[in-house]
Amino acid sequence: MRLYLLIFLAFSIFRLNGQEKYDISFWSDVMINANVAEHRSIAVKNFRAAFDDIIAAGDAFNFDFTQTPELSVLSDSLETFKLVTWQVRAEGDQYDYYGYLIKKDGPSFVLDDEFSALEDIEYMTLGPSDWLGGIYYNLIEQDGKYFVFSFRQLDEYTKFKSFDVLTFDEEGAPVLGEEVFVKPMNESRDILKNRVIFTYSADAILSLNYNPAMNMVVHDHLMEVMGQREGQGPTKVPDGTYEGYVFQEGQWVYQEKLFSHTYDEAPRPNQILGKSERDVFGKEKKN
């Protein structure tokens, strides 16, 4: 028991330049890479407790995130805030999502994943207490607003990505969602959305990101097919064509069929069904 306590303390806390810091790199590694779900759950609790203490001490913005490569950390161009997000595998093919928005000068915010409780998410305005949940993998800036791209695994059959807008209210709290995503309609009112979302097969790879060469957001067009797994049912996969959004007068305006290579059937080999050796961050997966 005494040996266990010494090991626990050695992993949990260390001293550097006379200041006490929590060694959350250990818990970060365990919560992502441990084989046993209970161990991952314990690690999440310890990681969050340690990081909450760092936030309370006012050290979170300057924390050395190279100690925690398992986390996604994005910052605005002026480095006034950081978005920290990550996923933890729960039981089976279920994942939990966690996040913080850390301000350089001002309060930090815990992002609480409420995805399963949300409806009509394309049209909702959300905050830290009802966060969509996911890993943010890119952040861009236009007209004083921030636009973020996120990924989440819904279940063993389905993945989800979103293109969202991030602003701050008068109190400095983060706000997600605004009617700045437009789909022009020829014979009716244009469709306005608070964010753009995509639900697609877990076997597929969906491209959704800002393309600086084209100065627009580009994504795969999805087509419906029958799933290849038992019990999957109808699902969606890329069909080889591309769509996108161009920023015009403060709005992202939908553009149909940028360029194409259309298939009679959805492409199946390595592109969709092949297993990638890298994770969502492009790092080599650990066995």
Side-chain angles (χ1 to χ4, degrees), residues 61-74:
F61 190 85
N62 295 317
F63 177 77
D64 180 10
F65 284 100
T66 61
Q67 298 182 52
T68 56
E70 297 82 7
L71 310 185
S72 170
V73 183
L74 303 177

Side-chain angles (χ1 to χ4, degrees), residues 42 63 96 110 114 149-150 156 183 187 204 209 232 240 248 263 265:
I42 293 171
F63 177 77
D96 295 325
V110 177
E114 291 293 327
F149 301 82
S150 74
E156 62 177 309
K183 184 174 183 178
E187 299 180 0
N209 218 330
Q232 185 173 14
Q248 299 176 347
Y263 297 90
E265 295 183 358

Side-chain angles (χ1 to χ4, degrees), residues 100-120:
Y100 292 91
L101 191 145
I102 305 166
K103 286 192 166 184
K104 184 176 183 179
D105 299 308
S108 296
F109 299 87
V110 177
L111 305 179
D112 293 322
D113 181 12
E114 291 293 327
F115 184 92
S116 61
L118 301 176
E119 298 180 0
D120 296 326

Side-chain angles (χ1 to χ4, degrees), residues 140 142 149 163 209-219 243-247 252-256 258-259:
I140 60 175
Q142 294 279 5
F149 301 82
F163 173 33
N209 218 330
Y210 178 71
N211 186 315
M214 300 178 68
N215 194 29
M216 64 185 301
V217 171
V218 178
H219 65 83
E243 305 166 294
Y245 288 81
V246 175
F247 196 75
W252 288 99
V253 182
Y254 172 72
Q255 304 288 309
E256 184 178 9
L258 306 179
F259 42 87

Side-chain angles (χ1 to χ4, degrees), residues 167-180:
T167 56
F168 295 90
D169 64 18
E170 295 180 355
E171 285 72 40
V175 178
L176 288 158
E178 187 179 337
E179 288 186 341
V180 295

Side-chain angles (χ1 to χ4, degrees), residues 144-274:
K145 296 178 181 179
Y146 309 100
F147 297 90
V148 289
F149 301 82
S150 74
F151 163 89
R152 72 177 288 143
Q153 182 90 26
L154 294 184
D155 53 43
E156 62 177 309
Y157 301 124
T158 314
K159 294 176 182 176
F160 174 93
K161 281 189 174 182
S162 70
F163 173 33
D164 208 342
V165 55
L166 168 66
T167 56
F168 295 90
D169 64 18
E170 295 180 355
E171 285 72 40
V175 178
L176 288 158
E178 187 179 337
E179 288 186 341
V180 295
F181 302 94
V182 184
K183 184 174 183 178
M185 305 299 289
N186 294 327
E187 299 180 0
S188 61
R189 291 182 58 186
D190 292 347
I191 298 175
L192 297 176
K193 296 182 179 181
N194 281 32
R195 63 185 53 80
V196 181
I197 65 171
F198 302 88
T199 302
Y200 59 102
S201 173
D203 294 323
I205 298 173
L206 173 74
S207 174
L208 171 65
N209 218 330
Y210 178 71
N211 186 315
M214 300 178 68
N215 194 29
M216 64 185 301
V217 171
V218 178
H219 65 83
D220 289 286
H221 177 266
L222 295 173
M223 64 181 291
E224 186 169 292
V225 298
M226 285 302 299
Q228 299 298 298
R229 298 183 182 185
E230 183 178 354
Q232 185 173 14
T235 187
K236 292 183 178 180
V237 298
D239 68 356
T241 66
Y242 295 87
E243 305 166 294
Y245 288 81
V246 175
F247 196 75
Q248 299 176 347
E249 299 180 355
Q251 296 178 315
W252 288 99
V253 182
Y254 172 72
Q255 304 288 309
E256 184 178 9
K257 290 188 178 180
L258 306 179
F259 42 87
S260 64
H261 182 170
T262 306
Y263 297 90
D264 292 331
E265 295 183 358
R268 291 294 181 185
N270 298 328
Q271 178 184 355
I272 291 179
L273 296 181

